[in-house]
Amino acid sequence: MAFSAFSQTIVKGKVTDATTGDPLPFANVVFVGTTTGITTDFEGNYQLKTSTPVDSIKVTSVGYQTKAKAITRGTTQTVNFQLQEDVTALAEVVVLAGENPAFEILRRVDKNRKYNDKRKLEAYEYDTYTKIEIDVDNISEKLRQKKTMRKITQVLDSVERMAGEDGKPILPMFISESVSKFYFRDNPQLRYENILHSKISGVGIEDGTLVTQFIGSSFQEYNFYQNWLNIVSKEFISPIADGGRMYYEYDLTDSMYVGDHYCYRLDFFPKSPQDLAFTGTVWITKEGYALKQIDVTIGKQANLNFIEKIKIQQELEKVEGGAWLPIKNRVLIDVSELTNASAGMLAKFYTSNKNFTVNKPHEATFYQHPIVMAEDARLHEEDSFWDTLRHEPLTDTEKNVYKMIDTLQNIPVVKTYTDIIKIVVNGYYDAGKIFIGPYIGLFAVNNIEGFRLQSGFKTSYDFSGRWVFGGQLGYGFKDERFKYSAFVQNILSRDRWTTMSVRVRRDIGRVGIDDEILADNYLFLAAQRWGVFRKGYYFDEARFNFQREVWKGFSQRIAFKYMTFEPTFDFTYRKPSEGGVYDTASRFQNAEVMIESRWARDELFVQDGNDRISLGTSKWPIITVRYTRGIKGIAGSDFSYNKIRLSFYKRVRFGPLGVGYMNVFGEYMFDQAPYPLLSPHLGNQTPVYTSATFNLMRYGEFVSDRYVGLQYQHHFEGLLLNRIPLMRKLKWRLLGTANLIAGGMSKANQKLVTANEEDGIGYLTNGKPYMELGYGLENIFKFIRVDFIHRLSYLDNPDVRKFGVLVSFQFSL
């Protein structure tokens, strides 16, 4: 019996991931036994119709098990699919005679890259909607039976349906939505996102100001036309990179219409599963060979820690000017459970972009701040208001997520654990208008103070958004001395970040530890309070500091510091003398003014209450120039001198060869001063590797008044060990290090060193640098790093370690 137009079989529905409940775009849906098929849209929806007699429909998607369902002929019906991941290994590619037809398509993609890549545009801007959800998943039965979990069992059980009929239970912890205006311009390369509205609901999220700056589209942007993509701080090779054939196997599997564009479908997977590369599918337009759609996955075989899977899906459209811009992005990061008795985590990101304007750049000052949140961004969170802002409505599941998080926030045990996590992450206990801590310096043990106990506080944004007060009080039970610090800071401007602060302090320090240079190394500064203090000293200090961001990337700082120096070791020095007659002393006072300029062209900052947090630079170096002037006579200050310091820090990407971190620095003292005011180079006599030190140099072994140094680390990722069959399963990674410093001490400053100090310090010989080279392994049991260091110079010095094996612990993906 033939079917008329009025007896068509029409099937529509949605295809989702059975584990996460997320839609599966670009899946193939076909009537079994026919050639009638379609691919799902970005939301996983499809609709098929036929007049041919059919009784079933089938769905296939790369990385998922094929699934078929029976249908009823001659009716309109809804059939939804939940696909399970296919964990079987990919079959080997069979290469037949002749060239792989996918290669010609890839060559044409590369040839047309300059026309299709959005980087060709002078500028572009668009409206963007972003949605983020974070869930706890893979909750083991053992974890569910623990006492602390039983109190939320009722909530957990009601969530089990959220992943779909074949899915696993998930526990939502955070969901956010934001609506922004995003701007980009080239030459100079600048970007700016204005977050107009945001809605946040999360366990432990109270204010949400900092989180709001992370939920815009700026952190969810991926351009596959780049050869290398930075994802979770790692460099991944793009499947359409100009050198992609070195890393991928390709297969031209189909050609079809995707919307209004006829496209070639290419499937690909890494030649080595441990490489930082993707498995997936790409759709390339026949006209212009542009990237239309891409669906890629990074599996747990890749050399990544704690990551079960990363999935990125993207759909692009051609805009005025010829380039293709993403109109929809979806990213899923599946974090694996640390132990069999713990749980994992799912982080899901979705962005939708529309209303594009291209090649109309604004003035450079328009992009002064990369991320700005409107003052009223979080004032309107009611559902009716957000229904008018969303590019598409929330699903029923997402509506339930909001309700579930509201319920979880009111469970006492959840509040308790949230507070504990905040203390661990922030180092302070949030008591409302004040933070109590930091707990990293709560106690220490050393040979001068014995057991040291310390606590402190600082005010929060709830106390004042302009003024910050804080202080710490400590006591050493051996030296029976109190130590303290107190400070006040005024935030003069948040637009061009401008602060003024005053601090007074009485404490104990070590010669050679410069808390100005090591200001960001909180762990090291806390750790240096432990152990044996070689060349320790008590001090009183008063400091004034003013800094301002003059323009984007360039900041200026001026500071004044007064300090006293009271040594705990046998220390004397000769006072500088113009007439050649030297008096000796063991204590001194010093006053100095410091002027510093810092340039970091593409550095990204976010504001967390009264703190400004740097997220580093992506391309350009950080250059710092500091001039210091010692002023004799102020409050008894003993010295007058001039000193200048320069540093250059850069993260260097080497593509398949890994990534390097380079720090070049130097200093020059023009005048005379005792050696604690010069540059005692920071050694390391512990078995723990520290990147800020020279690891085979003894404490205080060298002091200079002029020097230039280099510290370099290179992480090869899995470049070599991934190719060794017995090693690649361990996911170990090779690294290399190089530290060198060349300098010396002027005769004038050497004359200030007394005889009892000459045996305790040494000088670098002009033209002979101190050098140490190292190699090592990291990612041993995911956390352990072992460095093998060789010292190459000054080997005749006393008590020298020519070779050292140093261990450290690090958290790295």
Side-chain angles (χ1 to χ4, degrees):
M1 174 181 176
F3 280 75
S4 67
F6 299 98
S7 57
Q8 284 185 323
T9 301
I10 302 175
V11 184
K12 58 183 178 180
K14 189 166 189 171
V15 182
T16 58
D17 184 305
T19 300
T20 66
D22 288 331
L24 286 181
F26 324 139
N28 295 316
V29 186
V30 63
F31 287 121
V32 176
T34 74
T35 58
T36 303
I38 197 173
T39 59
T40 57
D41 64 16
F42 203 80
E43 306 308 319
N45 298 313
Y46 75 91
Q47 179 170 320
L48 268 180
K49 56 185 177 181
T50 183
S51 299
T52 303
V54 290
D55 56 15
S56 61
I57 191 170
K58 179 176 67 175
V59 177
T60 60
S61 182
V62 175
Y64 290 86
Q65 297 175 12
T66 299
K67 193 168 187 178
K69 288 188 176 182
I71 58 175
T72 304
R73 297 182 185 180
T75 64
T76 299
Q77 57 211 280
T78 299
V79 180
N80 296 320
F81 288 86
Q82 292 81 29
L83 299 189
Q84 294 280 3
E85 247 190 301
D86 189 355
V87 296
T88 59
L90 291 170
E92 293 185 0
V93 172
V94 178
V95 180
L96 303 176
E99 185 185 52
N100 186 335
F103 294 165
E104 175 59 23
I105 296 174
L106 291 170
R107 279 195 293 267
R108 298 197 178 201
V109 169
D110 188 47
K111 182 179 179 180
N112 287 275
R113 187 187 307 269
K114 59 185 177 182
Y115 307 114
N116 298 322
D117 188 349
K118 65 182 180 181
R119 290 177 293 177
K120 67 167 279 191
L121 298 173
E122 184 181 357
Y124 55 82
E125 59 189 70
Y126 52 80
D127 299 329
T128 180
Y129 165 78
T130 305
K131 180 168 54 187
I132 300 175
E133 182 182 339
I134 298 177
D135 308 312
V136 174
D137 73 336
N138 291 337
I139 305 169
S140 66
E141 187 61 30
K142 185 176 181 180
L143 178 61
R144 293 183 56 159
Q145 294 304 318
K146 289 191 174 184
K147 186 180 294 186
T148 54
M149 285 294 293
R150 291 177 186 171
K151 297 180 180 180
I152 61 173
T153 298
Q154 183 178 358
V155 176
L156 185 62
D157 289 341
S158 66
V159 181
E160 291 189 11
R161 299 187 303 274
M162 295 185 67
E165 62 184 32
D166 301 322
K168 301 175 183 178
I170 60 173
L171 182 64
M173 302 297 290
F174 174 88
I175 188 169
S176 70
E177 299 174 83
S178 69
V179 175
S180 309
K181 187 76 175 181
F182 183 84
Y183 305 86
F184 175 87
R185 68 163 285 170
D186 199 12
N187 193 27
Q189 193 174 102
L190 300 168
R191 64 185 63 211
Y192 163 51
E193 182 174 11
N194 185 9
I195 301 176
L196 303 173
H197 301 284
S198 73
K199 182 178 183 180
I200 298 172
S201 181
V203 175
I205 304 296
E206 296 170 359
D207 173 57
T209 303
L210 175 64
V211 177
T212 297
Q213 297 169 73
F214 283 99
I215 65 177
S217 64
S218 296
F219 296 96
Q220 284 82 50
E221 188 178 22
Y222 301 103
N223 183 3
F224 283 89
Y225 281 108
Q226 297 176 182
N227 287 336
W228 295 87
L229 287 83
N230 186 273
I231 304 172
V232 293
S233 76
K234 298 291 184 181
E235 300 292 325
F236 290 81
I237 180 74
S238 170
I240 58 171
D242 52 20
R245 288 168 59 179
M246 295 174 56
Y247 298 88
Y248 291 103
E249 300 285 4
Y250 296 91
D251 189 15
L252 175 60
T253 58
D254 203 353
S255 57
M256 66 187 75
Y257 273 97
V258 179
D260 297 329
H261 300 275
Y262 192 76
C263 296
Y264 299 106
R265 170 180 164 170
L266 276 64
D267 293 345
F268 50 85
F269 62 89
K271 291 184 176 181
S272 174
Q274 282 74 30
D275 282 348
L276 297 184
F278 304 98
T279 298
T281 303
V282 64
W283 287 262
I284 304 296
T285 62
K286 183 178 180 180
E287 181 181 354
Y289 291 87
L291 174 62
K292 170 59 180 171
Q293 292 180 167
I294 188 167
D295 185 350
V296 297
T297 301
I298 304 162
K300 60 183 178 181
Q301 284 184 300
N303 198 330
L304 286 173
N305 292 326
F306 317 112
I307 301 295
E308 192 81 16
K309 180 175 68 174
I310 299 175
K311 191 172 185 66
I312 302 174
Q313 298 160 329
Q314 191 175 86
E315 183 177 354
L316 300 93
E317 283 290 349
K318 190 175 184 178
V319 298
E320 182 183 351
W324 290 68
L325 289 174
I327 58 172
K328 292 183 179 180
N329 297 273
R330 184 178 288 110
V331 181
L332 179 143
I333 301 176
D334 188 352
V335 181
S336 60
E337 53 271 26
L338 295 179
T339 67
N340 293 332
S342 63
M345 186 180 74
L346 281 175
K348 298 183 283 188
F349 309 86
Y350 172 81
T351 59
S352 174
N353 308 321
K354 63 182 182 180
N355 299 331
F356 295 93
T357 302
V358 302
N359 293 332
K360 294 182 179 179
H362 300 272
E363 294 295 328
T365 54
F366 178 80
Y367 307 85
Q368 171 70 25
H369 300 289
I371 301 176
V372 172
M373 182 180 68
E375 291 185 2
D376 60 347
R378 300 195 60 226
L379 294 183
H380 307 285
E381 294 197 353
E382 58 272 13
D383 291 338
S384 59
F385 177 75
W386 274 89
D387 286 341
T388 65
L389 298 178
R390 297 183 181 103
H391 291 190
E392 52 274 321
L394 291 180
T395 65
D396 291 339
T397 298
E398 289 164 341
K399 293 177 182 178
N400 288 334
V401 167
Y402 273 110
K403 296 177 183 177
M404 192 60 58
I405 290 175
D406 290 341
T407 303
L408 285 170
Q409 287 175 324
N410 296 317
I411 300 176
V413 68
V414 173
K415 290 183 177 180
T416 301
Y417 274 87
T418 299
D419 289 341
I420 294 173
I421 292 172
K422 284 182 180 179
I423 292 173
V424 173
V425 173
N426 300 325
Y428 288 85
Y429 173 72
D430 186 353
K433 294 186 176 182
I434 64 170
F435 297 110
I436 300 173
Y439 291 100
I440 192 173
L442 183 61
F443 63 90
V445 180
N446 59 67
N447 63 311
I448 296 176
E449 299 175 288
F451 180 78
R452 173 185 174 125
L453 193 63
Q454 177 178 290
S455 187
F457 79 97
K458 67 177 181 179
T459 59
S460 70
Y461 186 83
D462 291 338
F463 175 83
S464 172
R466 181 178 177 185
W467 291 95
V468 184
F469 299 91
Q472 295 181 9
L473 181 65
Y475 183 76
F477 287 86
K478 182 178 179 180
D479 64 359
E480 298 182 341
R481 291 197 184 195
F482 282 100
K483 289 85 179 176
Y484 65 81
S485 69
F487 76 91
V488 57
Q489 180 185 56
N490 180 239
I491 302 174
L492 299 170
S493 171
R494 290 178 179 269
D495 182 39
R496 293 182 180 269
W497 187 259
T498 307
T499 64
M500 181 173 61
S501 64
V502 177
R503 183 180 74 177
V504 293
R505 186 164 59 137
R506 170 173 289 180
D507 213 326
I508 187 170
R510 299 178 190 242
V511 172
I513 303 294
D514 188 336
D515 61 356
E516 281 281 346
I517 297 173
L518 298 169
D520 294 330
N521 201 326
Y522 308 109
L523 287 175
F524 184 84
L525 290 175
Q528 63 92 24
R529 295 190 185 278
W530 292 73
V532 176
F533 268 58
R534 187 177 187 271
K535 299 186 182 300
Y537 63 95
Y538 292 102
F539 66 88
D540 288 290
E541 178 189 273
R543 186 190 298 259
F544 168 83
N545 189 81
F546 173 85
Q547 66 179 35
R548 178 174 175 81
E549 185 178 40
V550 182
W551 62 77
K552 177 175 170 53
F554 181 77
S555 60
Q556 192 70 39
R557 184 162 73 101
I558 183 169
F560 172 81
K561 183 177 76 171
Y562 174 84
M563 67 166 291
T564 63
F565 183 87
E566 179 188 341
T568 63
F569 59 102
D570 186 15
F571 167 76
T572 57
Y573 69 97
R574 296 186 181 96
K575 293 184 177 181
S577 171
E578 295 181 359
V581 179
Y582 292 88
D583 295 327
T584 62
S586 60
R587 302 183 181 188
F588 61 78
Q589 296 82 40
N590 185 57
E592 62 182 27
V593 173
M594 184 263 293
I595 300 173
E596 180 180 277
S597 299
R598 184 177 184 274
W599 184 76
R601 177 173 172 176
D602 59 351
E603 187 171 20
L604 181 60
F605 289 95
V606 293
Q607 293 183 21
D608 181 14
N610 293 323
D611 295 321
R612 192 179 190 225
I613 302 171
S614 171
L615 301 181
T617 59
S618 60
K619 180 180 179 181
W620 294 90
I622 299 175
I623 300 174
T624 306
V625 180
R626 177 189 296 176
Y627 167 73
T628 304
R629 169 68 179 175
I631 307 174
K632 186 176 181 178
I634 295 181
S637 175
D638 296 306
F639 313 108
S640 178
Y641 55 83
N642 297 276
K643 182 166 56 174
I644 190 167
R645 176 182 171 85
L646 172 68
S647 67
F648 176 98
Y649 175 83
K650 190 173 189 328
R651 180 176 185 261
V652 186
R653 299 176 181 177
F654 288 94
L657 300 180
V659 62
Y661 298 88
M662 178 175 61
N663 186 28
V664 181
F665 51 93
E667 192 169 71
Y668 193 95
M669 167 70 88
F670 294 88
D671 304 289
Q672 283 184 290
Y675 77 84
L677 293 178
L678 303 180
S679 300
H681 304 304
L682 190 56
N684 182 9
Q685 292 181 235
T686 74
V688 179
Y689 179 87
T690 306
S691 61
T693 67
F694 295 90
N695 285 280
L696 294 185
M697 184 186 291
R698 292 183 293 111
Y699 293 134
E701 183 178 353
F702 297 104
V703 179
S704 301
D705 60 9
R706 62 201 68 188
Y707 68 87
V708 59
L710 166 69
Q711 292 177 322
Y712 181 79
Q713 292 189 55
H714 193 92
H715 301 262
F716 291 94
E717 301 297 345
L719 175 66
L720 300 176
L721 299 185
N722 278 356
R723 270 68 182 173
I724 303 175
L726 296 179
M727 294 292 295
R728 60 191 179 197
K729 289 186 178 181
L730 297 174
K731 295 188 177 180
W732 291 0
R733 304 165 187 166
L734 288 175
L735 59 91
T737 60
N739 291 334
L740 63 89
I741 188 165
M745 177 82 85
S746 67
K747 294 295 184 182
N749 276 321
Q750 289 185 35
K751 289 180 180 179
L752 303 187
V753 180
T754 57
N756 70 315
E757 283 292 326
E758 287 179 352
D759 293 335
I761 62 174
Y763 314 124
L764 293 168
T765 304
N766 289 331
K768 182 181 178 180
Y770 170 88
M771 295 184 293
E772 59 185 31
L773 296 177
Y775 48 89
L777 291 168
E778 59 182 341
N779 208 42
I780 301 172
F781 301 116
K782 297 184 179 180
F783 295 102
I784 300 174
R785 166 176 168 169
V786 179
D787 285 82
F788 304 92
I789 310 294
H790 295 266
R791 176 166 169 162
L792 304 181
S793 58
Y794 296 96
L795 301 180
D796 295 330
N797 285 9
D799 302 323
V800 161
R801 286 191 299 169
K802 298 180 181 179
F803 174 75
V805 180
L806 293 89
V807 179
S808 57
F809 299 89
Q810 60 186 18
F811 179 86
S812 173
L813 295 177

